[in-house]
Amino acid sequence: MKRFVLKTYGKIVAWILTALGLYTSCDIIEPRVEYGTPTADFVIKGNVNDADNLQPIENMAVIRKSSWDPYGNDTARTDANGNYELNFSETAFGPEDMVVYTSDIDNGVYQSDTIRIKAHDLKQIGKRRKNWYNGKFEAKADFKLVRHPGPIPMYGIVPAEYKEIEEEE
Amino acid sequence: MNLKKKLILSLFQQHKATQSKLHTLSYLFWECTLRCNFNCVHCGSDCTRQSAVPDMPKEDFLKILADIRPQVDPHKTMIVLTGGEPLVRRDLEECGKAMYDMGYPWGFVTNGWGLDEKRLHSLLDAGLRSVTVSLDGYTEESHDWFRGKKGSWLRAVNAISGIVSTPGLVYDVVTCVNKNNIADLPRLRDLLLSLEVTNWRLFTVFPKGRAKDNPLLRLSTGEFRQMLDFIRDTRREGKINASYGCEGYLSDYEMEVRDTPFFCQAGINIASVLANGDISACPSLRGDYIQGNIYRDDFWTVWNTRYQIMRDRSWTKTGKCATCKSYKYCQGNGLHLRDEKTGELLHCHLEMMGINPCTQKKLANSTSLTNKTAILQTAK
């Protein structure tokens, strides 16, 4: 929370400085000569697999958590091969840290997982323009999900999967 | 409690309500024997070496599994053999193999006495998928006292070593925390770490069976909190996945000492067939909680048409639960903690933590409860 507040405060200060026509030391902020909103496009791709058997998980929700959460969150679903692609635009001066997470909101079989993509891991795939558009950025985030253990009864055991017994030769 | 936790707990109630309506059978206990080679001081089953109830013939239980097979996904229905001590059954491997041939994964709960390398391998050949072993003390003295059998600590440790070194076998170690072993929990954790154990479940006794009248078993408020703090800190360390057992709503400790919020799944996802054929939920639910008997009723019909007492918990809002501010999250605590006849709550975890359920404030006498423990320990 403290980090979020600080980052937001930093952005506001940068905005004010830029609006005032001042150059800041941050390399993603350039002097602006017009009034507008800096934006960038982002693509986050990846796949979602079962950590145990590495099989793809279909129809899993992958959510990009906006810095203005819950506003601006974006959700994609995995296809039959477990692949997903999130496309969204953001008010941004350039690459920023991104947070994506998966949540088994339909069945509750898998535990949620979160991946934080660092700004320097985003690859620029679209050029910046002279106006307020800062370009297009891409990153990859693969999830390996662990099944939810669920409460184990007091006298119970940890649930296990059925597996074929290998016959000895 | 912070807002985020409250939000999660509130949403989790929706999940519980949905699960109650769905009541998917995912966990079936079979009390395969009441015989036991131990004499544990806390035992809830009151089992003996020569039980008055003979072992159920395996065919009777296997028939139920065959009958329900078209109704359930056997691969997702865990069969749990409990007792007594399941290993005293000589036909355990035959039972396991038959269950596995039908597609059910199975496991059992054991004291570890009879689980040497040879037996473990023969059980693995019969499709064993999961084991839980009890270890109740860092020292031989405290474990052997608790289990009522000399040499049991060493056997349990050996069994745990064998299990840990078996690839693909799911397991955990369980510890019943009592006045005798609570001070040793950090050392017990280190022992388990040295054995490379990754899953450790701790639980406390509830006032039933032999534990009912034994003052050495029930923790004081201070000790109970001490145990919860220990589990929480151990989880944060991340070296071993420690957790508190499934019973009891734990207020601020929710999701700090367990992976998921409190959810008594008895009769919702869990059923049991007891040694005499009675159909229940968790094996600790007996008496008035019995829903039928396999020698009289069709198991699947019972599962689908009865169990209302467990799927609609509104009747539990009586006594101290009636005015409890946490009722919406707790819903009457674990059913095994309620009197079978009157339905009154015998054991409230909020009270165990020194919290007044009505006001959610600290009980005035919670400190004196701690002192009482200190006196007991001095007297020993």
Side-chain angles (χ1 to χ4, degrees):
Chain A
M1 190 61 192
K2 194 178 173 186
R3 188 178 158 78
F4 171 75
V5 171
L6 282 172
K7 277 181 78 175
T8 309
Y9 178 70
K11 279 182 186 174
I12 292 167
V13 171
W15 271 45
I16 294 167
L17 289 172
T18 309
L20 290 170
L22 294 175
Y23 181 79
T24 72
S25 61
C26 179
D27 61 1
I28 61 165
I29 303 171
E30 294 177 29
R32 301 289 178 181
V33 291
E34 56 185 313
Y35 198 80
T37 306
T39 59
D41 290 331
F42 296 91
V43 183
I44 297 174
K45 294 176 182 176
N47 55 56
V48 183
N49 289 329
D50 185 310
D52 283 336
N53 54 28
L54 300 180
Q55 292 299 305
I57 306 169
E58 191 180 357
N59 205 31
M60 180 66 72
V62 183
I63 301 144
R64 174 254 161 172
K65 192 170 179 178
S66 158
S67 53
W68 303 101
D69 179 54
Y71 306 105
N73 287 353
D74 207 358
T75 305
R77 293 273 180 173
T78 53
D79 61 18
N81 296 317
N83 295 323
Y84 73 90
E85 184 172 315
L86 280 160
N87 289 284
F88 53 92
S89 294
E90 174 88 336
T91 303
F93 292 98
E96 292 186 341
D97 286 5
M98 295 281 159
V99 175
V100 283
Y101 67 98
T102 60
S103 180
D104 192 359
I105 48 183
D106 299 324
N107 303 313
V109 174
Y110 291 95
Q111 294 185 44
S112 297
D113 194 13
T114 302
I115 292 178
R116 178 178 287 276
I117 303 163
K118 292 284 181 189
H120 58 74
D121 290 330
L122 285 155
K123 189 181 159 191
Q124 185 151 10
I125 56 168
K127 282 186 180 175
R128 176 183 293 197
R129 291 181 207 131
K130 284 189 177 176
N131 54 21
W132 289 89
Y133 181 69
N134 285 311
K136 192 170 185 178
F137 300 88
E138 188 183 72
K140 196 164 166 35
D142 296 334
F143 292 90
K144 286 186 172 56
L145 298 189
V146 176
R147 284 173 184 266
H148 219 295
I152 306 160
M154 196 62 67
Y155 289 122
I157 56 169
V158 186
E161 283 186 358
Y162 183 87
K163 282 182 187 169
E164 294 297 334
I165 304 169
E166 289 175 15
E167 297 290 337
E168 283 183 26
E169 289 179 10
Chain B
M1 188 186 293
N2 66 43
L3 192 65
K4 186 182 170 188
K5 199 174 269 188
K6 275 186 181 172
L7 186 66
I8 294 171
L9 286 174
S10 299
L11 287 170
F12 198 72
Q13 303 319 304
Q14 300 298 317
H15 169 71
K16 283 159 73 171
T18 311
Q19 290 300 311
S20 296
K21 284 176 190 158
L22 291 171
H23 55 81
T24 308
L25 179 65
S26 56
Y27 214 87
L28 177 57
F29 282 97
W30 178 31
E31 195 177 60
C32 64
T33 182
L34 279 181
R35 291 180 294 137
C36 186
N37 46 8
F38 276 29
N39 190 24
C40 305
V41 291
H42 71 300
C43 187
S45 300
D46 270 338
C47 39
T48 54
R49 276 185 188 80
Q50 294 300 325
S51 170
V53 181
D55 292 358
M56 180 186 289
K58 65 176 187 298
E59 292 76 16
D60 297 353
F61 182 69
L62 293 174
K63 184 180 178 306
I64 294 165
L65 295 187
D67 288 347
I68 66 171
R69 200 161 177 261
Q71 318 296 335
V72 300
D73 180 349
H75 286 11
K76 291 180 180 171
T77 311
M78 189 80 206
I79 310 299
V80 187
L81 274 57
T82 180
E85 167 56 41
L87 285 174
V88 301
R89 268 194 88 120
R90 292 197 171 175
D91 61 355
L92 195 62
E93 283 83 348
E94 289 170 42
C95 300
K97 189 79 174 68
M99 292 189 285
Y100 217 70
D101 287 345
M102 282 192 267
Y104 294 97
W106 70 277
F108 70 104
V109 187
T110 178
N111 55 39
W113 181 270
L115 197 62
D116 57 15
E117 201 181 336
K118 192 180 165 194
R119 189 84 198 262
L120 178 61
H121 280 116
S122 84
L123 290 163
L124 288 168
D125 289 342
L128 176 69
R129 295 289 304 126
S130 182
V131 190
T132 289
V133 184
S134 304
L135 185 68
D136 298 305
Y138 168 70
T139 61
E140 282 191 66
E141 190 191 2
S142 78
H143 178 86
D144 292 358
W145 163 76
F146 194 73
R147 292 284 157 184
K149 186 138 175 163
K150 206 163 171 50
S152 58
W153 180 87
L154 193 59
R155 294 260 197 145
V157 169
N158 282 337
I160 290 165
S161 297
I163 289 162
V164 170
S165 57
T166 305
L169 182 62
V170 180
Y171 70 90
D172 67 355
V173 173
V174 289
T175 298
C176 181
V177 183
N178 58 75
K179 283 184 185 297
N180 256 341
N181 66 9
I182 187 157
D184 278 339
L185 288 181
R187 285 190 288 177
L188 182 55
R189 175 188 57 202
D190 293 342
L191 171 68
L192 294 175
L193 283 171
S194 72
L195 294 169
E196 297 183 355
V197 170
T198 52
N199 294 304
W200 183 24
R201 190 162 20 125
L202 300 94
F203 68 99
T204 43
V205 292
F206 47 89
K208 277 190 178 176
R210 290 175 203 158
K212 201 173 169 183
D213 305 312
N214 192 334
L216 285 175
L217 297 181
R218 285 191 66 174
L219 300 180
S220 69
T221 297
E223 289 165 333
F224 188 66
R225 276 187 175 270
Q226 181 189 335
M227 179 200 66
L228 293 176
D229 288 340
F230 170 79
I231 297 172
R232 185 195 58 205
D233 295 344
T234 301
R235 287 169 70 86
R236 285 179 183 169
E237 260 180 29
K239 291 178 183 167
I240 186 168
N241 181 24
S243 62
Y244 183 61
C246 67
E247 70 168 13
Y249 171 71
L250 299 171
S251 188
D252 284 338
Y253 287 97
E254 283 295 323
M255 291 170 281
E256 304 279 339
V257 295
R258 284 185 291 233
D259 293 337
T260 49
F262 168 62
F263 181 16
C264 176
Q265 291 175 285
I268 296 168
N269 305 113
I270 299 170
S272 67
V273 175
L274 303 181
N276 62 356
D278 281 347
I279 300 168
S280 184
C282 294
S284 48
L285 292 177
R286 308 176 98 92
D288 286 356
Y289 288 117
I290 301 299
Q291 302 295 304
N293 188 290
I294 60 162
Y295 297 111
R296 209 175 46 234
D297 306 297
D298 173 62
F299 177 85
W300 194 243
T301 306
V302 171
W303 176 253
N304 280 318
T305 59
R306 299 183 193 170
Y307 286 96
Q308 286 83 359
I309 192 173
M310 301 175 203
R311 292 170 191 166
D312 177 4
R313 307 270 173 114
S314 55
W315 62 271
T316 59
K317 202 169 168 55
T318 56
K320 63 183 88 171
C321 292
T323 50
C324 177
K325 286 187 176 171
S326 293
Y327 184 82
K328 61 184 170 187
Y329 305 133
C330 175
Q331 292 182 334
N333 222 358
L335 285 185
H336 63 291
L337 300 172
R338 306 192 80 91
D339 188 281
E340 292 154 6
K341 297 283 175 202
T342 64
E344 284 300 312
L345 185 63
L346 300 170
H347 198 66
C348 169
H349 280 70
L350 289 180
E351 286 181 345
M352 279 295 290
M353 289 188 286
I355 298 170
N356 183 327
C358 294
T359 61
Q360 302 289 299
K361 287 180 182 164
K362 264 194 166 181
L363 287 165
N365 62 349
S366 61
T367 317
S368 62
L369 283 169
T370 313
N371 292 341
K372 208 185 274 178
T373 311
I375 294 162
L376 254 169
Q377 282 178 331
T378 316
K380 271 201 297 175

